[in-house]
Amino acid sequence: MADWGLSSCYHEITHEHQGHESQPTFYHYRNKDKFYHIDYFFYNKDKIKAFDIGQFHDWISLSDHMPVLLDIDDF
């Protein structure tokens, strides 16, 4: 991805290493104790304006995946 000028938006914003993410994007069987970070955006790091992941208590009744929101400056 880097060869194409793309990088993980989450990792650019948080400066965390891949595999050591502190914010889950998925809760297996909607179980708060079985969480993983498995959803990603890849984009040009210079155009990332904001990045956010929905919170468990706000979204778990709707899905086991949390919304991943990306705001870009592309125009």
Side-chain angles (χ1 to χ4, degrees):
M1 299 295 257
D3 290 345
W4 295 333
L6 304 174
S7 58
S8 166
C9 299
Y10 175 85
H11 296 98
E12 287 294 333
I13 296 293
T14 65
H15 304 289
E16 295 176 358
H17 294 287
Q18 190 167 1
H20 300 281
E21 297 86 0
S22 63
Q23 298 177 42
T25 63
F26 174 72
Y27 293 88
H28 194 55
Y29 296 114
R30 296 186 179 182
N31 183 333
K32 193 171 187 174
D33 297 325
K34 293 184 178 184
F35 54 88
Y36 306 92
H37 185 102
I38 62 171
D39 300 293
Y40 298 90
F41 273 115
F42 287 87
Y43 205 73
N44 179 328
K45 68 180 179 180
D46 298 327
K47 296 186 177 191
I48 301 170
K49 290 172 58 176
F51 183 88
D52 195 26
I53 297 173
Q55 298 298 306
F56 179 88
H57 62 277
D58 294 329
W59 294 97
I60 199 62
S61 65
L62 301 170
S63 178
D64 51 3
H65 287 264
M66 300 301 101
V68 180
L69 307 169
L70 175 64
D71 187 8
I72 57 172
D73 184 19
D74 199 32
F75 298 102

Coordinates of all heavy atoms in Angstrom, one line a residue:
M1 N 0.8 -1.2 0.0 CA 0.0 0.0 0.0 C 0.9 1.3 0.0 O 0.5 2.2 -0.6 CB -0.9 0.0 1.2 CG -1.9 -1.2 1.3 SD -3.1 -1.2 -0.1 CE -4.5 -0.6 0.7
A2 N 2.0 1.2 0.7 CA 2.9 2.4 0.8 C 3.4 2.8 -0.6 O 3.6 3.9 -0.9 CB 4.0 2.1 1.8
D3 N 3.6 1.8 -1.4 CA 4.1 2.1 -2.8 C 3.1 2.9 -3.6 O 3.5 3.6 -4.5 CB 4.4 0.8 -3.5 CG 5.6 0.0 -3.0 OD1 6.4 0.6 -2.2 OD2 5.8 -1.2 -3.3
W4 N 1.8 2.8 -3.2 CA 0.8 3.6 -3.9 C 0.5 4.9 -3.1 O -0.5 5.6 -3.5 CB -0.5 2.8 -4.0 CG -0.3 1.6 -4.9 CD1 0.5 1.4 -6.0 CD2 -1.1 0.4 -4.8 NE1 0.4 0.2 -6.5 CE2 -0.6 -0.5 -5.9 CE3 -2.1 -0.1 -4.0 CZ2 -1.1 -1.7 -6.1 CZ3 -2.6 -1.4 -4.2 CH2 -2.1 -2.2 -5.3
G5 N 1.2 5.2 -2.1 CA 1.0 6.4 -1.3 C -0.1 6.3 -0.3 O -0.7 7.3 0.2
L6 N -0.5 5.1 0.1 CA -1.5 4.8 1.0 C -1.0 4.3 2.4 O 0.0 3.5 2.4 CB -2.5 3.8 0.5 CG -3.1 4.2 -0.9 CD1 -4.0 3.1 -1.4 CD2 -4.0 5.5 -0.8
S7 N -1.6 4.7 3.4 CA -1.3 4.2 4.7 C -2.5 4.1 5.6 O -3.6 4.6 5.3 CB -0.3 5.1 5.4 OG -0.8 6.4 5.6
S8 N -2.4 3.3 6.6 CA -3.6 3.1 7.5 C -3.9 4.4 8.3 O -3.0 4.9 9.0 CB -3.2 2.0 8.5 OG -4.2 2.0 9.6
C9 N -5.1 4.9 8.1 CA -5.5 6.1 8.7 C -5.4 6.0 10.3 O -5.0 6.9 10.9 CB -6.9 6.5 8.3 SG -6.9 6.8 6.5
Y10 N -5.9 4.9 10.8 CA -5.9 4.7 12.2 C -4.5 4.8 12.8 O -4.2 5.5 13.8 CB -6.5 3.3 12.6 CG -6.4 3.0 14.1 CD1 -7.3 3.5 14.9 CD2 -5.3 2.3 14.6 CE1 -7.3 3.2 16.3 CE2 -5.2 2.0 15.9 CZ -6.2 2.5 16.8 OH -6.1 2.2 18.1
H11 N -3.5 4.1 12.2 CA -2.2 4.1 12.7 C -1.5 5.5 12.5 O -0.6 5.9 13.3 CB -1.4 3.0 12.0 CG -1.9 1.6 12.4 ND1 -2.8 1.0 11.5 CD2 -1.8 0.9 13.5 CE1 -3.2 -0.2 12.1 NE2 -2.6 -0.2 13.3
E12 N -1.8 6.2 11.4 CA -1.3 7.5 11.2 C -1.7 8.5 12.3 O -1.0 9.3 12.8 CB -1.7 8.1 9.9 CG -0.9 7.5 8.7 CD 0.6 7.8 8.7 OE1 1.0 8.8 9.2 OE2 1.3 6.9 8.2
I13 N -3.0 8.4 12.7 CA -3.6 9.3 13.7 C -3.1 8.9 15.1 O -2.8 9.8 15.9 CB -5.1 9.3 13.6 CG1 -5.6 9.8 12.3 CG2 -5.8 10.0 14.8 CD1 -5.4 11.3 12.1
T14 N -3.1 7.6 15.4 CA -2.8 7.2 16.8 C -1.3 7.0 17.1 O -0.9 6.9 18.2 CB -3.6 5.9 17.2 OG1 -3.1 4.8 16.3 CG2 -5.1 6.1 17.0
H15 N -0.6 6.7 16.0 CA 0.9 6.4 16.1 C 1.1 5.1 16.9 O 2.1 4.8 17.4 CB 1.7 7.5 16.8 CG 1.5 8.8 16.1 ND1 2.1 9.1 14.9 CD2 0.9 9.9 16.5 CE1 1.8 10.3 14.5 NE2 1.0 10.9 15.5
E16 N 0.0 4.2 16.8 CA 0.2 2.9 17.4 C 0.7 1.9 16.3 O 0.5 2.2 15.1 CB -1.2 2.4 17.9 CG -1.8 3.2 19.0 CD -3.1 2.7 19.5 OE1 -3.7 1.8 18.8 OE2 -3.6 3.3 20.4
H17 N 1.3 0.8 16.8 CA 1.9 -0.1 15.8 C 0.8 -1.2 15.5 O -0.1 -1.5 16.3 CB 3.1 -0.9 16.5 CG 4.2 0.0 16.7 ND1 5.0 0.5 15.6 CD2 4.8 0.6 17.8 CE1 6.0 1.3 16.1 NE2 5.8 1.3 17.5
Q18 N 0.9 -1.6 14.2 CA -0.1 -2.6 13.8 C 0.0 -3.9 14.7 O 1.1 -4.3 15.0 CB 0.1 -3.0 12.3 CG -1.0 -3.8 11.8 CD -0.9 -3.9 10.3 OE1 0.0 -3.4 9.6 NE2 -1.9 -4.6 9.7
G19 N -1.2 -4.3 15.1 CA -1.2 -5.5 16.0 C -1.3 -5.1 17.4 O -1.5 -5.9 18.3
H20 N -1.2 -3.8 17.7 CA -1.2 -3.3 19.1 C -2.2 -2.2 19.2 O -2.0 -1.2 20.0 CB 0.2 -2.9 19.6 CG 1.2 -3.9 19.5 ND1 1.3 -4.9 20.5 CD2 2.1 -4.3 18.6 CE1 2.3 -5.8 20.2 NE2 2.8 -5.4 19.0
E21 N -3.3 -2.3 18.5 CA -4.3 -1.2 18.5 C -5.1 -1.2 19.9 O -5.4 -2.2 20.4 CB -5.3 -1.4 17.4 CG -4.7 -1.3 16.0 CD -4.1 -2.6 15.5 OE1 -4.1 -3.6 16.2 OE2 -3.5 -2.6 14.4
S22 N -5.3 0.0 20.4 CA -6.0 0.1 21.6 C -7.5 0.3 21.5 O -8.2 0.3 22.5 CB -5.4 1.3 22.4 OG -5.6 2.5 21.7
Q23 N -8.0 0.6 20.3 CA -9.4 0.9 20.0 C -10.0 -0.2 19.1 O -9.7 -0.3 18.0 CB -9.6 2.2 19.4 CG -9.1 3.4 20.2 CD -9.3 4.7 19.5 OE1 -10.3 4.9 18.8 NE2 -8.3 5.5 19.6
P24 N -10.9 -1.1 19.7 CA -11.5 -2.1 18.9 C -12.5 -1.6 17.8 O -13.1 -0.5 18.0 CB -12.2 -3.0 19.9 CG -11.8 -2.5 21.2 CD -11.2 -1.1 21.1
T25 N -12.6 -2.3 16.7 CA -13.6 -2.0 15.7 C -14.7 -3.1 15.6 O -15.7 -3.0 15.0 CB -13.0 -1.8 14.3 OG1 -12.4 -3.0 13.9 CG2 -12.0 -0.7 14.4
F26 N -14.4 -4.2 16.3 CA -15.3 -5.4 16.2 C -15.4 -6.1 17.6 O -14.3 -6.3 18.2 CB -14.7 -6.4 15.2 CG -15.5 -7.7 15.1 CD1 -16.7 -7.7 14.5 CD2 -14.9 -8.8 15.5 CE1 -17.4 -9.0 14.4 CE2 -15.5 -10.1 15.4 CZ -16.8 -10.1 14.9
Y27 N -16.6 -6.5 17.9 CA -16.8 -7.3 19.2 C -17.5 -8.6 18.8 O -18.7 -8.6 18.5 CB -17.7 -6.5 20.1 CG -17.0 -5.2 20.7 CD1 -17.1 -4.0 20.0 CD2 -16.3 -5.3 21.8 CE1 -16.4 -2.9 20.4 CE2 -15.6 -4.2 22.3 CZ -15.7 -3.0 21.6 OH -15.0 -1.9 22.1
H28 N -16.7 -9.7 18.9 CA -17.2 -11.0 18.4 C -18.4 -11.4 19.3 O -18.3 -11.4 20.5 CB -16.0 -12.0 18.6 CG -16.3 -13.3 17.9 ND1 -16.5 -13.4 16.6 CD2 -16.2 -14.5 18.4 CE1 -16.7 -14.6 16.3 NE2 -16.5 -15.4 17.4
Y29 N -19.5 -11.8 18.6 CA -20.7 -12.1 19.2 C -21.3 -11.0 20.1 O -22.0 -11.2 21.1 CB -20.6 -13.4 20.0 CG -20.3 -14.6 19.2 CD1 -19.2 -15.3 19.3 CD2 -21.3 -15.0 18.2 CE1 -18.9 -16.4 18.5 CE2 -21.0 -16.2 17.4 CZ -19.8 -16.8 17.6 OH -19.5 -17.9 16.8
R30 N -20.9 -9.8 19.8 CA -21.3 -8.6 20.6 C -20.8 -8.7 22.1 O -21.4 -8.1 23.0 CB -22.8 -8.3 20.5 CG -23.2 -8.0 19.1 CD -24.6 -7.6 19.0 NE -24.9 -7.3 17.6 CZ -26.0 -6.9 17.1 NH1 -27.0 -6.7 17.9 NH2 -26.2 -6.7 15.8
N31 N -19.8 -9.4 22.3 CA -19.2 -9.6 23.6 C -18.2 -8.6 23.9 O -17.1 -8.5 23.2 CB -18.7 -11.0 23.7 CG -18.2 -11.3 25.1 OD1 -17.7 -10.5 25.9 ND2 -18.1 -12.6 25.4
K32 N -18.3 -7.7 24.9 CA -17.4 -6.7 25.2 C -16.0 -7.2 25.5 O -15.0 -6.5 25.4 CB -17.9 -5.8 26.4 CG -17.1 -4.5 26.5 CD -17.8 -3.6 27.5 CE -17.1 -2.3 27.5 NZ -17.7 -1.3 28.4
D33 N -15.9 -8.4 25.9 CA -14.6 -9.0 26.3 C -13.9 -9.7 25.1 O -12.7 -10.2 25.2 CB -14.7 -10.1 27.4 CG -15.2 -9.4 28.7 OD1 -14.8 -8.2 29.0 OD2 -16.0 -10.0 29.4
K34 N -14.6 -9.8 23.9 CA -14.0 -10.4 22.7 C -13.8 -9.4 21.6 O -14.6 -9.3 20.7 CB -14.8 -11.6 22.3 CG -14.9 -12.7 23.2 CD -15.6 -13.9 22.7 CE -15.6 -15.1 23.6 NZ -16.3 -16.2 23.1
F35 N -12.9 -8.5 21.8 CA -12.8 -7.4 20.9 C -11.5 -7.5 20.0 O -10.5 -8.1 20.4 CB -12.7 -6.1 21.6 CG -11.7 -6.0 22.7 CD1 -10.4 -5.5 22.4 CD2 -12.0 -6.4 24.0 CE1 -9.5 -5.5 23.4 CE2 -11.1 -6.3 25.0 CZ -9.8 -5.9 24.7
Y36 N -11.6 -6.9 18.8 CA -10.5 -6.9 17.8 C -10.5 -5.6 17.0 O -11.5 -5.0 16.9 CB -10.7 -8.1 16.9 CG -10.8 -9.4 17.5 CD1 -12.1 -10.0 17.8 CD2 -9.7 -10.2 17.9 CE1 -12.2 -11.2 18.5 CE2 -9.8 -11.4 18.6 CZ -11.1 -11.9 18.8 OH -11.2 -13.1 19.5
H37 N -9.4 -5.3 16.5 CA -9.3 -4.2 15.6 C -9.1 -4.8 14.2 O -8.0 -5.2 13.8 CB -8.1 -3.3 15.9 CG -8.1 -2.0 15.1 ND1 -8.5 -0.8 15.5 CD2 -7.7 -1.8 13.8 CE1 -8.4 0.1 14.6 NE2 -7.9 -0.5 13.5
I38 N -10.2 -4.9 13.4 CA -10.1 -5.5 12.1 C -10.6 -4.7 10.9 O -10.5 -5.1 9.8 CB -10.9 -6.9 12.1 CG1 -12.4 -6.6 12.3 CG2 -10.3 -7.8 13.1 CD1 -13.2 -7.9 12.2
D39 N -11.0 -3.5 11.2 CA -11.6 -2.6 10.1 C -10.6 -1.5 9.9 O -10.1 -0.8 10.8 CB -12.9 -2.1 10.5 CG -13.9 -3.2 10.7 OD1 -14.3 -3.9 9.7 OD2 -14.4 -3.4 11.8
Y40 N -10.3 -1.2 8.6 CA -9.2 -0.2 8.3 C -9.7 0.7 7.1 O -10.4 0.2 6.2 CB -7.9 -0.9 7.8 CG -7.3 -1.8 8.9 CD1 -7.7 -3.1 9.0 CD2 -6.4 -1.3 9.8 CE1 -7.1 -3.9 10.0 CE2 -5.8 -2.1 10.8 CZ -6.2 -3.4 10.9 OH -5.6 -4.2 11.8
F41 N -9.1 1.9 7.1 CA -9.2 2.8 6.0 C -7.7 3.0 5.6 O -6.8 3.2 6.4 CB -9.7 4.2 6.3 CG -11.2 4.3 6.3 CD1 -11.9 4.6 7.4 CD2 -11.8 4.3 5.0 CE1 -13.3 4.8 7.3 CE2 -13.2 4.5 5.0 CZ -13.9 4.7 6.1
F42 N -7.4 2.9 4.3 CA -6.1 3.3 3.8 C -6.3 4.5 2.8 O -7.2 4.5 2.0 CB -5.5 2.1 3.0 CG -5.0 1.0 3.9 CD1 -5.9 0.0 4.3 CD2 -3.7 1.0 4.3 CE1 -5.5 -1.0 5.1 CE2 -3.3 -0.1 5.2 CZ -4.2 -1.0 5.5
Y43 N -5.5 5.5 3.1 CA -5.6 6.7 2.3 C -4.3 7.5 2.4 O -3.4 7.1 3.1 CB -6.8 7.6 2.9 CG -7.4 8.5 1.9 CD1 -8.2 8.0 0.9 CD2 -7.1 9.9 1.9 CE1 -8.8 8.9 0.0 CE2 -7.7 10.7 1.0 CZ -8.5 10.2 0.0 OH -9.0 11.1 -0.9
N44 N -4.2 8.6 1.6 CA -3.0 9.4 1.6 C -3.0 10.1 2.9 O -3.9 10.9 3.3 CB -3.2 10.4 0.5 CG -2.0 11.4 0.4 OD1 -1.4 11.7 1.4 ND2 -1.7 11.8 -0.8
K45 N -1.9 9.9 3.7 CA -1.8 10.4 5.1 C -1.8 11.9 5.1 O -2.3 12.5 6.1 CB -0.6 9.9 5.8 CG 0.7 10.4 5.2 CD 1.9 9.8 6.0 CE 3.2 10.3 5.4 NZ 4.3 9.7 6.1
D46 N -1.4 12.6 4.1 CA -1.4 14.1 4.1 C -2.8 14.7 3.9 O -3.0 15.9 4.1 CB -0.5 14.6 3.0 CG 0.9 14.1 3.2 OD1 1.4 14.0 4.3 OD2 1.6 13.9 2.2
K47 N -3.8 13.8 3.6 CA -5.1 14.4 3.3 C -6.1 13.9 4.4 O -7.3 14.2 4.3 CB -5.6 13.9 2.0 CG -4.8 14.5 0.9 CD -5.3 14.2 -0.5 CE -4.5 14.9 -1.6 NZ -5.1 14.8 -2.9
I48 N -5.7 13.3 5.5 CA -6.5 12.9 6.6 C -6.8 14.1 7.5 O -5.9 14.7 8.0 CB -5.9 11.8 7.4 CG1 -5.6 10.6 6.6 CG2 -6.8 11.4 8.6 CD1 -4.7 9.5 7.3
K49 N -8.1 14.5 7.6 CA -8.4 15.6 8.5 C -8.8 15.1 9.9 O -8.5 15.7 10.9 CB -9.6 16.4 7.9 CG -9.2 17.2 6.7 CD -10.3 17.8 5.9 CE -11.2 18.7 6.8 NZ -12.2 19.4 6.0
A50 N -9.6 14.0 9.9 CA -10.1 13.4 11.2 C -10.4 12.0 11.0 O -10.7 11.5 9.9 CB -11.3 14.2 11.7
F51 N -10.3 11.2 12.1 CA -10.6 9.8 12.1 C -11.2 9.5 13.5 O -10.7 9.9 14.5 CB -9.3 9.0 11.9 CG -9.5 7.5 11.9 CD1 -9.8 6.9 10.7 CD2 -9.4 6.8 13.0 CE1 -9.9 5.6 10.6 CE2 -9.6 5.4 13.0 CZ -9.9 4.8 11.7
D52 N -12.2 8.6 13.5 CA -12.9 8.3 14.7 C -13.5 6.9 14.6 O -13.9 6.4 13.5 CB -14.0 9.3 15.1 CG -14.4 9.2 16.5 OD1 -13.7 8.8 17.4 OD2 -15.6 9.6 16.8
I53 N -13.6 6.2 15.8 CA -14.2 4.9 15.9 C -15.4 5.0 16.9 O -15.2 5.6 18.0 CB -13.2 3.8 16.3 CG1 -12.1 3.7 15.3 CG2 -14.0 2.5 16.6 CD1 -11.0 2.8 15.8
G54 N -16.6 4.5 16.5 CA -17.7 4.6 17.4 C -17.5 3.8 18.7 O -16.7 2.9 18.7
Q55 N -18.2 4.2 19.7 CA -18.0 3.6 21.0 C -19.0 2.4 21.2 O -20.1 2.5 20.8 CB -18.2 4.6 22.1 CG -17.2 5.8 22.0 CD -15.8 5.3 22.3 OE1 -15.5 4.6 23.3 NE2 -15.0 5.6 21.3
F56 N -18.5 1.4 22.0 CA -19.3 0.2 22.2 C -20.7 0.5 22.7 O -21.7 0.0 22.1 CB -18.5 -0.7 23.2 CG -19.2 -1.9 23.6 CD1 -19.0 -3.1 22.9 CD2 -20.1 -2.0 24.7 CE1 -19.6 -4.3 23.2 CE2 -20.7 -3.2 25.1 CZ -20.5 -4.3 24.3
H57 N -20.8 1.3 23.7 CA -22.1 1.5 24.4 C -23.1 2.3 23.4 O -24.3 2.1 23.6 CB -22.0 2.3 25.7 CG -21.4 3.7 25.6 ND1 -20.0 3.8 25.5 CD2 -21.9 4.9 25.5 CE1 -19.8 5.1 25.4 NE2 -20.9 5.8 25.3
D58 N -22.6 3.0 22.4 CA -23.5 3.7 21.5 C -23.9 2.8 20.3 O -25.0 3.1 19.8 CB -22.7 4.9 20.9 CG -22.4 6.0 22.0 OD1 -23.2 6.1 22.9 OD2 -21.4 6.6 21.8
W59 N -23.2 1.8 20.0 CA -23.4 1.1 18.7 C -23.7 -0.4 18.8 O -24.2 -1.0 17.9 CB -22.2 1.3 17.8 CG -22.1 2.7 17.4 CD1 -21.3 3.7 17.9 CD2 -22.9 3.4 16.4 NE1 -21.5 4.9 17.3 CE2 -22.5 4.7 16.4 CE3 -23.9 3.0 15.5 CZ2 -23.0 5.7 15.5 CZ3 -24.4 3.9 14.6 CH2 -24.0 5.2 14.6
I60 N -23.4 -1.0 20.0 CA -23.4 -2.5 20.0 C -24.8 -3.1 19.8 O -25.0 -4.2 19.3 CB -22.8 -3.0 21.3 CG1 -22.4 -4.5 21.2 CG2 -23.7 -2.8 22.5 CD1 -21.4 -4.8 20.1
S61 N -25.9 -2.3 20.1 CA -27.2 -2.8 19.9 C -27.5 -2.8 18.4 O -28.5 -3.5 18.0 CB -28.3 -1.9 20.6 OG -28.3 -0.6 20.0
L62 N -26.8 -2.2 17.6 CA -27.0 -2.1 16.1 C -26.1 -3.0 15.3 O -26.5 -3.5 14.3 CB -26.8 -0.7 15.6 CG -27.7 0.4 16.2 CD1 -27.3 1.8 15.8 CD2 -29.2 0.1 15.8
S63 N -24.9 -3.3 15.8 CA -23.9 -4.1 15.1 C -22.8 -4.5 16.0 O -22.5 -3.9 17.0 CB -23.4 -3.3 13.9 OG -22.4 -4.0 13.2
D64 N -22.1 -5.6 15.6 CA -20.9 -6.0 16.3 C -19.7 -5.3 15.8 O -18.6 -5.3 16.4 CB -20.7 -7.5 16.2 CG -20.8 -8.1 14.8 OD1 -20.9 -7.3 13.8 OD2 -20.7 -9.3 14.6
H65 N -19.8 -4.6 14.7 CA -18.8 -3.7 14.1 C -19.1 -2.2 14.5 O -20.2 -1.8 14.4 CB -18.7 -3.7 12.6 CG -18.1 -5.0 12.1 ND1 -16.8 -5.1 11.7 CD2 -18.7 -6.2 11.8 CE1 -16.5 -6.3 11.3 NE2 -17.6 -7.0 11.4
M66 N -18.1 -1.5 15.0 CA -18.2 -0.1 15.3 C -18.0 0.7 14.0 O -17.2 0.3 13.2 CB -17.2 0.3 16.3 CG -17.3 -0.4 17.7 SD -18.9 -0.3 18.5 CE -19.7 -1.8 18.1
P67 N -18.8 1.8 13.9 CA -18.5 2.6 12.7 C -17.1 3.2 12.7 O -16.6 3.6 13.8 CB -19.6 3.7 12.8 CG -20.0 3.7 14.2 CD -19.8 2.4 14.8
V68 N -16.5 3.3 11.6 CA -15.2 3.9 11.4 C -15.4 5.1 10.5 O -15.8 4.9 9.4 CB -14.2 2.9 10.8 CG1 -12.8 3.5 10.7 CG2 -14.1 1.6 11.7
L69 N -15.1 6.3 11.1 CA -15.4 7.5 10.3 C -14.1 8.2 9.9 O -13.2 8.3 10.7 CB -16.2 8.4 11.2 CG -17.4 7.8 11.9 CD1 -18.0 8.8 12.9 CD2 -18.4 7.6 10.8
L70 N -14.0 8.5 8.6 CA -12.8 9.2 8.1 C -13.3 10.5 7.4 O -14.2 10.5 6.6 CB -12.2 8.3 7.1 CG -11.0 8.9 6.3 CD1 -9.8 9.2 7.2 CD2 -10.5 7.9 5.2
D71 N -12.6 11.6 7.8 CA -12.9 12.9 7.2 C -11.6 13.2 6.4 O -10.5 13.3 7.0 CB -13.2 13.9 8.2 CG -13.6 15.3 7.6 OD1 -13.8 15.4 6.4 OD2 -13.7 16.2 8.4
I72 N -11.7 13.5 5.1 CA -10.6 13.7 4.2 C -10.6 15.1 3.6 O -11.7 15.6 3.4 CB -10.4 12.6 3.2 CG1 -11.7 12.5 2.3 CG2 -10.1 11.3 3.8 CD1 -11.5 11.6 1.1
D73 N -9.5 15.6 3.2 CA -9.4 16.8 2.5 C -8.9 16.4 1.1 O -7.7 16.3 0.8 CB -8.4 17.8 3.1 CG -8.4 19.1 2.5 OD1 -9.3 19.5 1.7 OD2 -7.4 19.8 2.7
D74 N -9.9 16.2 0.2 CA -9.5 15.7 -1.1 C -9.9 16.6 -2.3 O -9.6 16.3 -3.4 CB -10.1 14.3 -1.4 CG -9.4 13.5 -2.5 OD1 -8.2 13.7 -2.6 OD2 -10.1 12.8 -3.2
F75 N -10.6 17.7 -1.9 CA -11.0 18.6 -3.0 C -10.6 20.0 -2.8 O -10.4 20.5 -1.8 CB -12.6 18.5 -3.1 CG -13.0 17.1 -3.5 CD1 -13.6 16.3 -2.5 CD2 -12.9 16.7 -4.8 CE1 -14.0 15.1 -2.8 CE2 -13.4 15.4 -5.1 CZ -13.9 14.6 -4.1

